[in-house]
Amino acid sequence: MSPKYVTPAGPVSRLIEEFHRLPGIGPKSAARLAYYILRMPEAGARSLAEAIIDVKEKIVLCSVCQNLTDVDPCSICQSPERDRSLVCVVEEPLDILALERTGQFKGLYHVLHGAISPMDGIGPDDLKMSQLLGRLKDGSVREVILATNPNLEGEATAMYLQRLISPLGIRVTSLARGLPVGGDLEYADEVTLGRALEGRREV
Ligand SMILES: [Zn+2]
């Protein structure tokens, strides 16, 4: 008889598999998380499960800026304190958190939900670009800041948008250099990001 490997009970295996699907979680971490949850008091486990269901049920995209929100329009788009003539374009919702941490930006945002990447088959139509152009129609926006990631896809996306927006007579700027090349905006520290925002230049 061939030796049988002992595998965890079905529900435990399933939980390990689910964790393994998450970004940055290898098989060992997945197993560790699953066993941690097994040892948790039931109330804690239930609360975690409910939090996961809650984000799926209650979070929608803001109909104006496309950011994740539980109220539509989102709190930033609704705020009377924000400068509505300034729109900062980012790739992902997490980039907004990074820019908000600098405390230096008082305009509105627009989330593309990705960047142009021919290699991955992602073109302009797969991003929230038409929604952005729709926002620029009424003439209230004076400046669009392109804050895509400082990598190949981010640069290509910024260039594409610049060609579309410049002819509308709107000032188009991008973040100053100094951000780590190839990196993601969301990982930039506040000081660097704040400086990049301050030193933005026309493209
Ligand atoms: Zn919004």
Side-chain angles (χ1 to χ4, degrees):
M1 254 180 48
S2 60
K4 270 199 176 153
Y5 293 105
V6 178
T7 52
V12 182
S13 289
R14 183 180 162 208
L15 189 57
I16 294 173
E17 269 167 45
E18 295 289 349
F19 278 128
H20 190 21
R21 279 190 209 145
L22 301 177
I25 307 284
K28 275 190 188 164
S29 301
R32 210 172 298 137
L33 286 169
Y35 282 99
Y36 177 79
I37 284 175
L38 271 172
R39 286 193 303 265
M40 262 170 111
E42 181 163 345
R46 205 166 279 283
S47 158
L48 173 64
E50 277 165 10
I52 292 172
I53 302 292
D54 247 28
V55 291
K56 294 313 287 182
E57 284 178 351
K58 294 185 183 151
I59 300 295
V60 294
L61 295 186
C62 170
S63 56
V64 179
C65 72
Q66 312 296 318
N67 190 16
L68 300 171
T69 177
D70 59 347
V71 285
D72 186 27
C74 74
S75 56
I76 293 178
C77 287
Q78 275 193 44
S79 168
E81 269 135 55
R82 312 290 301 210
D83 179 353
R84 319 194 83 78
S85 69
L86 212 54
V87 173
C88 182
V89 179
V90 296
E91 291 181 24
E92 301 294 345
L94 280 173
D95 299 333
I96 291 186
L97 296 184
L99 284 157
E100 285 297 291
R101 275 197 302 268
T102 69
Q104 287 192 27
F105 185 67
K106 293 287 166 241
L108 302 180
Y109 293 98
H110 192 87
V111 187
L112 295 173
H113 292 274
I116 295 176
S117 173
M119 292 265 282
D120 303 310
I122 300 170
D125 293 343
D126 301 308
L127 307 171
K128 304 290 182 191
M129 284 192 180
S130 56
Q131 290 86 344
L132 172 63
L133 294 171
R135 292 177 71 182
L136 304 179
K137 271 187 192 143
D138 70 358
S140 60
V141 176
R142 278 185 302 109
E143 180 182 347
V144 171
I145 304 167
L146 302 173
T148 49
N149 287 333
N151 55 29
L152 222 60
E153 291 81 13
E155 301 282 336
T157 308
M159 211 181 292
Y160 184 89
L161 282 174
Q162 185 261 323
R163 284 201 200 116
L164 284 178
I165 299 169
S166 284
L168 305 175
I170 295 168
R171 185 174 182 230
V172 183
T173 57
S174 71
L175 297 184
R177 286 171 212 280
L179 290 172
V181 174
D184 276 359
L185 211 64
E186 61 167 289
Y187 299 124
D189 67 276
E190 292 108 86
V191 178
T192 310
L193 201 51
R195 266 194 215 126
L197 199 56
E198 216 174 318
R200 66 183 186 270
R201 70 215 187 288
E202 212 119 359
V203 290

